[in-house]
Amino acid sequence: MAHPSSEPTLKKDMAVLEHVEDSKDLIIVDFQQNVNAKICNPLAGIPKQDLLACVAAFCASYELTDKLSIFEKGALVAQNPDSFESIEELDDEDKRHLRREVTHKWHLPRTLYFTIGLCSLGSAIQGWDNTGANGANLSFPEEFGIVHNTWLVGFINAAPTISGLFAAWAADPLNNMMGRRGLIFFTALFSVFPVLAQAFTQNWWGLLLTRLIMGIGMGIKITTIPIMTSEVVPATIRGGLVMSFQLWVASILSVNLEIILIVLVKL
């Protein structure tokens, strides 16, 4: 029996890991015996029997029992990625594919590249939203009678970034509520309707309001898409493909600025 004085220490060394899609699924891990789990591998140190029990509970919760063996293999490999050769649950075909992740790291399913492409499209829209109204800066201050109010003009321009900064804090609970794909679809709507509404505004506060609403979707989307990309991409090439988000943001920023310059020259 544990000494009463040791209870605070044990409680301090216990931590709760939450599943990324559902905060109701809780796994208690003793970090006193699992130090590396804090920063390295959350599955490290969990006994095999307990790990497989958690996998079975997860599959039962989400009606994936027909895929139980696949999830079990995935959990065992995730727990010991460098020792997959000694995992008895894996057959020769499983091990061959795991070896190819190292020897042929860019040989991936087309559906995975398609997913990365869609995520990159989301980042491209992000870049367009950031600079889409730049050309309007030449006309809307005069049109709305605020040409001499530089603070207000600046605030209207910065509105998406300001609202996006605060909206980003809502990304975590919304991801738990809607999941990655659902939330990306939801925030994509903010890149369509508020943008269209900006073209029909009749005053400066209408333009400000639509840009603030657009920023809400931008702030949540910019924190969700890279996470989804990192979750589906193998670790060996994760850095390169996750950076595709910022690459496309910067690329579309550049393209948009060039389009504005071309229009100005023709005018």
Side-chain angles (χ1 to χ4, degrees):
M1 180 179 296
H3 194 274
S5 62
S6 65
E7 291 183 2
T9 303
L10 291 175
K11 291 180 179 179
K12 183 178 180 181
D13 290 331
M14 300 295 284
V16 177
L17 299 180
E18 298 183 0
H19 184 263
V20 69
E21 293 289 347
D22 193 343
S23 60
K24 299 189 295 294
D25 297 331
L26 301 178
I27 302 174
I28 305 300
V29 179
D30 185 356
F31 281 134
Q32 189 175 25
Q33 303 298 326
N34 188 13
V35 178
N36 290 333
K38 293 182 179 180
I39 57 176
C40 185
N41 189 340
L43 300 181
I46 300 178
K48 180 178 178 180
Q49 183 177 358
D50 294 342
L51 179 63
L52 296 180
C54 291
V55 173
F58 172 82
C59 291
S61 299
Y62 294 95
E63 299 181 356
L64 296 169
T65 51
D66 57 323
K67 306 290 184 181
L68 178 60
S69 62
I70 297 176
F71 279 94
E72 288 178 341
K73 292 177 181 180
L76 293 171
V77 173
Q79 186 181 49
N80 297 290
D82 297 328
S83 305
F84 67 85
E85 296 283 0
S86 60
I87 298 177
E88 58 185 14
E89 283 79 5
L90 300 179
D91 55 33
D92 293 337
E93 186 67 11
D94 296 328
K95 294 178 181 179
R96 185 181 73 84
H97 285 291
L98 289 171
R99 295 188 199 103
R100 284 183 62 85
E101 285 191 4
V102 179
T103 58
H104 299 75
K105 58 183 180 180
W106 293 100
H107 187 77
L108 300 171
R110 291 183 179 179
T111 51
L112 178 57
Y113 282 115
F114 179 70
T115 301
I116 301 302
L118 290 180
C119 290
S120 298
L121 180 60
S123 60
I125 295 174
Q126 191 88 2
W128 186 268
D129 289 342
N130 278 324
T131 56
N134 279 2
N137 287 325
L138 302 175
S139 59
F140 85 78
E142 183 175 354
E143 178 71 22
F144 296 152
I146 57 174
V147 66
H148 298 296
N149 193 338
T150 55
W151 280 97
L152 182 56
V153 173
F155 181 61
I156 292 174
N157 274 281
T161 302
I162 294 172
S163 60
L165 176 64
F166 291 99
W169 292 92
D172 183 50
L174 288 176
N175 269 280
N176 287 329
M177 184 186 305
M178 305 175 66
R180 301 280 187 256
R181 293 179 299 176
L183 186 58
I184 292 174
F185 175 82
F186 176 70
T187 54
L189 300 178
F190 288 80
S191 298
V192 178
F193 298 107
V195 176
L196 292 175
Q198 290 181 63
F200 296 95
T201 54
Q202 302 298 315
N203 44 59
W204 66 263
W205 57 264
L207 180 61
L208 174 62
L209 180 62
T210 55
R211 289 180 65 77
L212 286 171
I213 295 174
M214 180 181 70
I216 295 174
M218 291 173 58
I220 299 173
K221 182 173 61 174
I222 201 172
T223 55
T224 302
I225 291 179
I227 296 175
M228 179 175 177
T229 305
S230 67
E231 289 174 342
V232 301
V233 173
T236 53
I237 58 172
R238 183 172 296 146
L241 289 184
V242 171
M243 283 304 297
S244 65
F245 181 89
Q246 194 59 39
L247 171 65
W248 281 100
V249 170
S251 298
I252 298 303
L253 286 173
S254 176
V255 170
N256 199 358
L257 292 174
E258 291 171 3
I259 292 174
I260 293 173
L261 289 175
I262 292 173
V263 172
L264 289 176
V265 169
K266 289 186 176 181
L267 292 176

